[in-house]
Amino acid sequence: MEVSVHNLTKTFGTLRANDRISLHFAGGQIHGVLGENGAGKSTLMKLLSGFLRPDGGEILLDSTPVALGEPGAALRAGVGMVHQEPLDVPGFSALENLLCAAPRWALPTRIEARNTLIVLAGRLGFSIAPDDPISALTVGQRQQLEIIRLLACGARTLILDEPTTGISAAQARSLFAALRRLAAEGNTVLFVSHKLDEVAAICNTVSVLRAGQVVGEGQVPMPQPQERLLNMMFGGGADHTNPVETPRRGVSTTVPAWQIEGVSARDGNMVLAGLDLTIPAGAVVGLAGLEGSGQQILLRLLCGQLRPSAGRLRLAGVDMAGATSATFRQGGVEYLPADRLVKGLVGPLTLAEHFALLQPGGAIINRHGAEVKARAAITGYNIKATPDSPILALSGGNQQRAMLAMIPDNTRALVCEQPTRGLDVASARAIWGRLMARRDAGCAVVFATADLDEILDYSDYVLVFFAGRVSQMLPRAELSAYRLAELIGGVGFDAVNGRAKANPQ
Amino acid sequence: MIARDHATPTISEGHTRRSALLIAALALVGALIFTSLVLLSSNVPPLAAYNLIFLGTFSTPTRISDMVMLASPLLLCSCGLTLTFAAGLYNLGIEGQMALGAVAAMIPLRLLPNLPPPLLWVLAFACGAAGGAMWALLVAGLRIRLQVNEIFAGLGLNFLASGIALYLVLGPWRRIGRASSSGTEPLPTDVWLPTFGTLRVAPAAPVIALIILVLIWFAVTRTRWGLELRAVGLNPQAAGRMGIPATRRLAESLAACGALAGIAGAIQVLAVFHQLIPSISSGIGLLALLVVLLIQANPAWVLPIAAAFAIFTTGSLQMSVALGADSSIAGVLQGALVLFALLARGLSGRR
């Protein structure tokens, strides 16, 4: 199916999110759509899949103009979108989800739905059985189910919005194989991402958006030099040399930030047992591994959200037996969650109100003091906001910088969950600049991410998690990208295995 | 959950004031049209009815004093609910907290009748506040320890509270010689809160209510505790990460709300009914819920809206005599106002 847009325009208030976009996506190919955060990628995809209505211009499917008022109409016309967060019902099985999310005409009976699911999963190499409960599936598998649903409903154009966020490398590989197969069968695939290597790996063409407009002459065939794509995404002036400042080794001779001796802990059906670790002050430790291999347990142990069931955890030399997360916080541990607006910040409150909340003591709010602090944070951290801006109104990068700005100066240790999730390259680099400055001031930084480049670019030490086992502290300088990928996949893991064993039960 | 978003205060959003006024105007017009339709369908001339509802209260000093005696407990309950709404809680148990406050206020009045009245009054108010707070802490305990939603916990405890009041009225505290569900033996007149001449208004009641209103306004808008309450109400997880003891704040807001409801219950006993009756809360707690829903828990608006609602209710009491219609039309108008305000807010939020 061919998909074209002609002079497509969508405005939100004064913002022209899509400004006279004209593009043509040929059938049987995978088309990359690149752009930094806020470039208008998501808006374009929502227009194509019927979640938004255009203010001007037209959408043509196989050269016929169509009006896609709502997602159902778009799906009937053959366009389906896979969202970043799969939309499904956790209490249902895969089959039940397929049934309740598909219109009656697509899957009239339960038996037909079951057959469709098995056939499509087999054809695409997806590992889903009809009776798997959704709660037991990973994000990657739920995404696979969503693709199966869209195909079962007759989609011949698939839109994937940042599909590799939060899924494992193996799942990404299987997704890419499935997408190639779908394209080979004549379907059109639109692949939205800001990860250049992924786009290079699977796309036949690429279109770059910047500030709501198509950059340059429009669609360009792949492969293209990475340099050129970066230029198109960020404009000519942007600095895009790879930020490999040689990672500094932990030179600090002070007390280690954390000492973990024989610690065991359980979270859900995952158990870490017999963990022995020393995390030095003034170093960045990256937690690598497939999603859900036990990294979460360690992160939660380090900030006191999870109590060890055995063993001893010392924070800066102090035994933390029986301590709550509040005690850890008083001990200088700050936790930066991945879900900024869910666990990190209070969306409707303003920047100044956040600083007021963080003022030590005092029954009456010192409004002036809070505002001064907010202003200092705005200039110091380059946050695009005023002290009276509700946090909700800030972009993801600005929210992340605000969260960093709120970390007290006497912080001894930072626990970050995907510190640059959803941020564009420039914002991510700014965040890491801040984190590195903290490290150089003697703060320990522990972070988990699914992005291998991030691990390699910024870690002093790497801990690899594989199927619930934890490696020793591996100095980054002695680790190649190839070796890291092998370890994450479990190749030669025994040679670096720490004593810890975690067993999924 | 959607409705909970509406309950979040909008103190920091000065720039949205114009759209707030527009919403208020839309809600008022919508509610008036709706109420007029109800009036017309029962053959009551709307203008005459509105004349009574809006102005009927001001026809005699007696009615004005009745209005004040309704507005005082209503203000107290609205103040309490402002706190629980800020903390993101729907304290539907406020009726029960008021009833328990009234029951608790009766205890010193019955046990120590020989104390000097001023001391007795202080004791009665203190016991009322303690009783209401205790009843609200049951809700807090159910919510925090057992994950029972505060709406259901509150509603359940309301039934229990009215059962306790009825049991006391018919059982241990019944009138001498005859048990009557109409109430306990009236209190001796010297422990009634002093009134203004022959009017029913006891100046102490509105004075207490207004002092508490100022305190609550200050607490919510100026203190760290109030800001923490709002942070907990808006996002308990993030509040916890920033070091705010979230469950503690939830319990505190409920206890404070219960204490204020209990004081309102004590006013009902000391200054309105002068006895314990089974329906001592008279639906004032529920009316306060409407007030707080309408103003999105913004304490600056508690006084005007609570007063207006008291005026509507008192004014419409004459409906049956003057127009042969039921006085519950004030409730229709109040409910319609809230519904249309929520509707207008929802629509303006969607755009």
Side-chain angles (χ1 to χ4, degrees):
Chain A
M1 186 158 95
E2 288 179 11
V3 180
S4 311
V5 296
H6 188 63
N7 278 338
L8 205 61
T9 300
K10 177 75 189 174
T11 56
F12 297 106
T14 55
L15 176 76
R16 295 180 84 82
N18 276 185
D19 191 2
R20 283 167 291 134
I21 289 189
S22 297
L23 281 171
H24 175 79
F25 302 108
Q29 292 190 334
I30 304 178
H31 304 277
V33 179
L34 275 172
E36 60 178 327
N37 291 339
K41 304 180 303 262
S42 292
T43 305
L44 178 59
M45 297 307 134
K46 283 181 181 162
L47 289 171
L48 282 175
S49 56
F51 281 88
L52 291 174
R53 287 175 203 215
D55 295 327
E58 54 181 358
I59 298 170
L60 300 101
L61 301 179
D62 286 332
S63 314
T64 319
V66 287
L68 307 172
E70 39 108 23
L75 194 50
R76 271 193 295 280
V79 182
M81 175 152 171
V82 181
H83 291 264
Q84 263 184 47
E85 273 289 307
L87 313 167
D88 47 24
V89 186
F92 280 11
S93 71
L95 178 63
E96 285 164 336
N97 260 287
L98 190 61
L99 271 171
C100 80
R104 190 156 285 270
W105 52 263
L107 296 169
T109 68
R110 209 178 169 89
I111 292 170
E112 200 151 327
R114 178 180 288 270
N115 289 340
T116 311
L117 201 162
I118 294 171
V119 168
L120 282 174
R123 208 176 85 198
L124 298 172
F126 290 165
S127 55
I128 301 182
D131 299 317
D132 288 344
I134 290 293
S135 50
L137 299 184
T138 63
V139 176
Q141 285 174 309
R142 287 159 62 201
Q143 194 180 57
Q144 294 173 352
L145 180 64
E146 183 73 0
I147 293 176
I148 289 174
R149 177 181 80 84
L150 294 173
L151 293 174
C153 296
R156 283 166 297 136
T157 296
L158 277 185
I159 300 175
L160 296 103
D161 187 10
E162 306 279 357
T164 56
T165 304
I167 72 173
S168 69
Q171 282 171 340
R173 277 196 298 279
S174 113
L175 174 71
F176 289 177
L179 293 181
R180 284 198 195 97
R181 176 165 185 143
L182 287 170
E185 289 169 3
N187 297 291
T188 313
V189 177
L190 300 190
F191 187 87
V192 181
S193 182
H194 47 235
K195 294 181 187 154
L196 289 176
D197 49 344
E198 290 177 355
V199 172
I202 67 161
C203 292
N204 303 109
T205 76
V206 68
S207 312
V208 180
L209 297 188
R210 193 167 75 220
Q213 294 179 318
V214 181
V215 178
E217 67 269 45
Q219 202 173 58
V220 291
M222 287 299 277
Q224 292 285 336
Q226 191 164 359
E227 197 70 5
R228 166 144 194 247
L229 293 178
L230 280 170
N231 255 326
M232 288 169 79
M233 280 171 75
F234 298 104
D239 154 44
H240 42 69
T241 49
N242 223 9
V244 189
E245 325 142 21
T246 32
R248 207 188 58 148
R249 298 292 212 86
V251 290
S252 180
T253 53
T254 54
V255 197
W258 286 280
Q259 287 156 291
I260 295 172
E261 291 160 24
V263 162
S264 300
R266 160 194 281 276
D267 185 18
N269 52 10
M270 183 64 103
V271 179
L272 276 185
L275 192 61
D276 279 306
L277 269 182
T278 300
I279 296 178
V284 176
V285 179
L287 310 188
L290 301 185
E291 184 198 4
S293 303
Q295 301 96 313
Q296 203 62 28
I297 297 187
L298 181 60
L299 286 183
R300 296 185 57 200
L301 273 172
L302 292 179
C303 57
Q305 292 184 356
L306 193 66
R307 286 202 199 173
S309 53
R312 205 150 64 131
L313 194 156
R314 279 184 291 181
L315 177 66
V318 181
D319 194 336
M320 298 302 276
T324 62
S325 55
T327 326
F328 274 75
R329 208 171 160 271
Q330 280 152 20
V333 178
E334 282 286 328
Y335 165 58
L336 298 188
D339 300 325
R340 290 178 281 266
L341 285 180
V342 177
K343 292 187 201 154
L345 301 165
V346 185
L349 292 190
T350 68
L351 205 54
E353 282 173 324
H354 276 85
F355 279 99
L357 281 173
L358 293 166
Q359 280 166 356
I364 312 267
I365 296 169
N366 176 357
R367 281 175 181 250
H368 180 70
E371 209 179 296
V372 168
K373 278 198 181 154
R375 276 190 205 291
I378 286 168
T379 33
Y381 283 76
N382 195 18
I383 304 168
K384 290 185 190 105
T386 67
D388 297 327
S389 312
I391 293 289
L392 267 180
L394 308 187
S395 74
N398 283 320
Q399 284 171 4
Q400 187 76 347
R401 279 197 285 272
M403 210 154 81
L404 275 174
M406 285 170 203
I407 295 172
D409 289 332
N410 59 1
T411 297
R412 190 174 275 141
L414 278 174
V415 179
C416 318
E417 200 187 331
Q418 305 182 37
T420 59
R421 187 175 89 153
L423 303 190
D424 59 58
V425 178
S427 301
R429 239 178 249 168
I431 295 296
W432 270 109
R434 294 293 172 181
L435 289 173
M436 289 301 188
R438 291 278 181 177
R439 175 198 68 176
D440 294 342
C443 181
V445 178
V446 178
F447 76 104
T449 176
D451 185 346
L452 284 196
D453 292 334
E454 195 172 13
I455 298 265
L456 289 170
D457 285 349
Y458 301 112
S459 307
D460 296 318
Y461 295 96
V462 180
L463 280 175
V464 184
F465 287 69
F466 172 67
R469 293 190 294 164
V470 187
S471 74
Q472 302 152 351
M473 294 269 277
L474 306 169
R476 156 68 183 96
E478 296 164 22
L479 202 63
S480 67
Y482 184 70
R483 179 81 187 111
L484 178 59
E486 275 187 343
L487 285 176
I488 288 173
V491 180
F493 194 85
D494 291 335
V496 297
N497 197 7
R499 278 207 303 138
K501 278 195 189 65
N503 307 307
Q505 288 187 343
Chain B
M1 286 327 256
I2 290 163
R4 185 157 295 189
D5 293 339
H6 290 302
T8 56
T10 54
I11 293 158
S12 57
E13 298 168 14
H15 55 278
T16 58
R17 188 162 296 157
R18 221 172 54 187
S19 75
L21 276 179
L22 189 70
I23 288 171
L26 275 177
L28 189 60
V29 171
L32 284 177
I33 292 173
F34 181 81
T35 311
S36 303
L37 288 177
V38 172
L39 286 168
L40 287 172
S41 71
S42 48
N43 292 323
V44 180
L47 283 181
Y50 287 134
N51 190 34
L52 274 185
I53 292 174
F54 293 138
L55 304 172
T57 300
F58 304 103
S59 53
T60 67
T62 315
R63 293 201 179 105
I64 295 178
S65 71
D66 284 354
M67 185 274 285
V68 171
M69 290 318 287
L70 171 61
S72 304
L74 183 60
L75 263 179
L76 285 166
C77 288
S78 306
C79 284
L81 288 173
T82 301
L83 296 177
T84 48
F85 267 71
L89 294 167
Y90 277 99
N91 183 17
L92 259 67
I94 187 152
E95 286 273 310
Q97 289 146 23
M98 220 176 136
L100 245 283
V103 166
M106 284 293 287
I107 294 171
L109 298 175
R110 290 184 65 88
L111 291 184
L112 311 161
N114 299 324
L115 285 182
L119 189 58
L120 212 44
W121 294 329
V122 171
L123 268 180
F125 277 120
C127 285
M134 181 207 76
W135 208 242
L137 279 174
L138 283 181
V139 175
L142 284 167
R143 157 84 198 235
I144 293 164
R145 298 261 172 250
L146 303 174
Q147 275 87 47
V148 178
N149 186 300
E150 76 278 2
I151 295 178
F152 304 117
L155 283 176
L157 286 170
N158 283 353
F159 281 106
L160 201 53
S162 63
I164 290 173
L166 189 62
Y167 166 74
L168 289 171
V169 166
L170 290 174
W173 291 356
R174 64 174 174 270
R175 288 191 182 186
I176 298 148
R178 61 198 164 106
S180 157
S181 62
S182 64
T184 58
E185 194 72 37
L187 297 169
T189 45
D190 56 338
V191 302
W192 296 13
L193 275 191
T195 54
F196 204 69
T198 56
L199 295 174
R200 265 176 285 186
V201 63
V207 167
I208 291 173
L210 288 174
I211 290 172
I212 284 178
L213 174 63
V214 172
L215 288 178
I216 294 297
W217 173 84
F218 186 79
V220 171
T221 60
R222 292 287 180 271
T223 67
R224 182 188 181 80
W225 183 78
L227 185 59
E228 289 186 357
L229 270 194
R230 290 170 53 210
V232 170
L234 293 167
N235 188 345
Q237 273 191 314
R241 190 190 72 88
M242 288 193 282
I244 300 166
T247 49
R248 204 195 144 114
R249 292 288 173 270
L250 289 184
E252 284 169 356
S253 74
L254 273 167
C257 179
L260 297 186
I263 293 176
I267 287 181
Q268 295 286 82
V269 167
L270 284 173
V272 178
F273 295 106
H274 307 116
Q275 61 180 164
L276 182 66
I277 63 167
S279 59
I280 190 80
S281 61
S282 315
I284 288 174
L286 295 177
L287 193 57
L289 273 167
L290 288 188
V291 171
V292 177
L293 265 178
L294 187 61
I295 60 177
Q296 291 184 290
N298 182 346
W301 283 92
V302 167
L303 181 60
I305 299 297
F309 274 28
I311 288 168
F312 298 167
T313 303
T314 314
S316 69
L317 285 177
Q318 308 156 58
M319 290 279 272
S320 50
V321 183
L323 296 170
D326 194 79
S327 63
S328 57
I329 197 69
V332 173
L333 179 62
Q334 290 154 352
L337 263 176
V338 174
L339 282 180
F340 279 95
L342 291 180
L343 200 66
R345 260 176 226 147
L347 289 178
S348 76
R350 189 178 296 180
R351 256 187 293 123

